[in-house]
Amino acid sequence: MARLARQPLISIILPVTDAQFPALYPPIKSIIEQFYQRWELCVACRRTSCARADLENLARGQSRIKLSIHDGAVDLSDLCKLAAQRANGDFITFVDGGDSLAPQALYMVAEEINARAEVNVIYTDADWIDDNGARSNPQFKPDWCPDLLLSRNYLGRLTVFRRALASSCGGIRSDFGSSFEYDLILRIIEQADPATIRHIPSVLYHHRLDRSVTEPERALLNTRSRQALQEHLARRRIAATVEPSATGMYHRVRRTLPSSPPSVSLIIPTRDHCQLLKATIDSILERTDYPAYEIVVVDNQSSHPDAVTYLDEISRQPRIRVLRYDHAFNYSAINNFAAAQCASPILGLLNNDLIVINRDWLTEMVSHALRPEVGAVGAMLYYPDDTIQHAGVIVGFGGTAVHCLAGVPRAASEYSSRTDVIQNYSAVTAACMLTRSAVFAELGGLNDVELPIAFNDVDYCLRLRQRGYLITWTPYAMLYHLESASRGNDRDPDKVERARAEERYLGTRWTKSLGTDPYYNPNLSNHRELFALSRKPRAPKPWLAPPAGKPEIERAQR
């Protein structure tokens, strides 16, 4: 701490209600015991509060504690607003009664501010703690994930804001009750560059475990959160409505399509297995409410009489084109070949073994594909037994990449924050992916040289992210997927060697990306089981960083 070039003053806002009074001391004690001591505590309570006398005594003994006492019936947001008016810190944050900070919390925040002088928002991981100090339910958050923030306030606590920016955005607004912090975050990100929003992947905030929220309180909280979100969308001139998510716990932003929706070319490579292809095409034609699409079937040397007959039949339908690709199977090359012959502004890459579940699947995916900041959109795919086949892709797990939550039962409650909300990932599968034609051309399509069969979608998404695009996954586009049923297995020697070569290429080309997936917390395992605790967390510890000009310390640590 003595070596930190900047010693920012951090203002901590603590509202005190009578309901919080019995649990008032843990947060104050944890603040006083912080390793980093450049802080001030701004406390606000009502004049009639039973905590008033204790707080006045405390403030008399601590010059860094500023107590504001107010008349009238003010709620939590009003107390925070009044306390914040006393704040003089460079940065500001909020703590609730009963909660506490890890002793290194403010130190790690100060380290982040020193590492990145331009930082505007810093948020950390959190967990829950009981009266005996037992901790549980760690919240290991992703790095900056804008679509997830529009689905729920995943930043939560501990979140630290640059005070000048928070003030310029209008500060705390009392209209949103307990959702005031979400409203503030949404206004701040309208002005803050995403590069100035930083995540510290360390559990630095402990929520009080016995805090109970009644159903009416939860309903009011959700209503006010959706109001804040709707106003945020209006300020950004995004045509969309805010609805409860499928489970009602979170939010769904339903974006409005243009009055004349753009055409979409759905590209489906196939070879024989006409029953699979027929089921896929029938489900698209019967269960798709999106008005402007064509189906482009790419026949890769089908020879079975039934398949040949079926391809000839569907080629006469107005929505369907059949292209012939008379070369060895190369998934990347087939899609590149078809994309070059499509005039639609949006391309859909689909496998030939999909069954559409919800009628607005394509409407939902197009609504995100049209966003200029989004490069690719993925869907929720289920196996026929209603377990998850694909809910986004985690890169780096097992050395390459893995489908998120594969095999988990549909709508599993313990994974609701992953399965119930629109969010960003490092990659999505090309078994059902939408991307704009211009973006596909910008990247030169899929890699048909080093990645003819596998990982071409992961590589494509990583190249998109390299250029600054987001990868968005939505649970509101649902399909069944038989997972390459027409390809058979990859057990013969040539296929095994090809697969190994593709793995080697991916590992070599994307070494850094495979080591740090921003949407998968570094405290979680990259080898044993998805979302299990890692035996060797990859989260950085700033106190282990060597001082400038001391490489021998770094070598010793290694």
Side-chain angles (χ1 to χ4, degrees), residues 28 52 60 87 103 117 131 186 190 199 249 349 368-369 375 390 426 442 445 455 530 536 551:
I28 295 178
R52 176 184 165 186
R60 276 194 289 268
D131 292 338
L186 292 172
E190 292 165 19
H199 170 220
M249 295 175 61
L349 309 187
H368 294 288
H390 168 267
S426 285
E442 177 188 339
F455 300 121
L530 271 177
K536 290 186 66 177

Side-chain angles (χ1 to χ4, degrees), residues 44-57:
C45 73
R46 300 182 183 93
R47 185 172 300 279
T48 57
S49 172
C50 56
R52 176 184 165 186
D54 288 0
L55 290 171
E56 287 176 331
N57 289 334

Side-chain angles (χ1 to χ4, degrees), residues 399-400 450-451 454-455 496-511 514:
T400 52
E450 287 88 2
L451 300 172
F455 300 121
V496 169
E497 179 50 39
R498 185 266 308 156
R500 288 174 178 167
E502 289 173 329
E503 284 189 16
R504 286 194 297 269
Y505 174 81
L506 190 76
T508 302
R509 172 68 177 83
W510 298 107
T511 303
L514 295 181

Side-chain angles (χ1 to χ4, degrees), residues 314-453:
I314 62 174
S315 66
R316 303 190 188 103
Q317 296 190 33
R319 277 194 184 273
I320 302 176
R321 284 194 290 150
V322 177
L323 305 178
R324 310 291 176 180
Y325 184 82
D326 194 20
H327 304 282
F329 179 70
N330 180 321
Y331 182 83
S332 297
I334 290 172
N335 280 285
N336 293 344
F337 164 76
Q341 301 183 59
C342 294
S344 299
I346 299 177
L347 301 174
L349 309 187
L350 271 62
N351 276 18
N352 66 342
D353 51 359
L354 298 170
I355 302 293
V356 172
I357 296 175
N358 59 307
R359 295 186 59 81
D360 61 345
W361 72 281
L362 190 53
T363 299
E364 169 70 7
M365 295 185 76
V366 171
S367 73
H368 294 288
L370 287 174
R371 295 163 54 191
E373 73 274 19
V374 172
V377 183
M380 169 69 90
L381 303 181
Y382 294 105
Y383 289 115
D385 65 356
D386 277 322
T387 58
I388 293 173
Q389 192 269 337
H390 168 267
V393 173
I394 304 293
V395 301
F397 190 90
T400 52
V402 66
H403 284 192
C404 183
L405 302 178
V408 170
R410 186 171 178 172
S413 59
E414 64 267 34
Y415 294 105
S416 59
S417 63
R418 283 279 180 172
T419 60
D420 191 31
V421 296
I422 300 164
Q423 58 198 284
N424 305 112
Y425 279 97
S426 285
V428 291
T429 180
C432 184
M433 174 200 290
L434 258 61
T435 187
R436 294 192 301 282
S437 299
V439 173
F440 194 78
E442 177 188 339
L443 267 68
L446 303 181
N447 184 338
D448 56 13
V449 178
E450 287 88 2
L451 300 172
I453 311 298

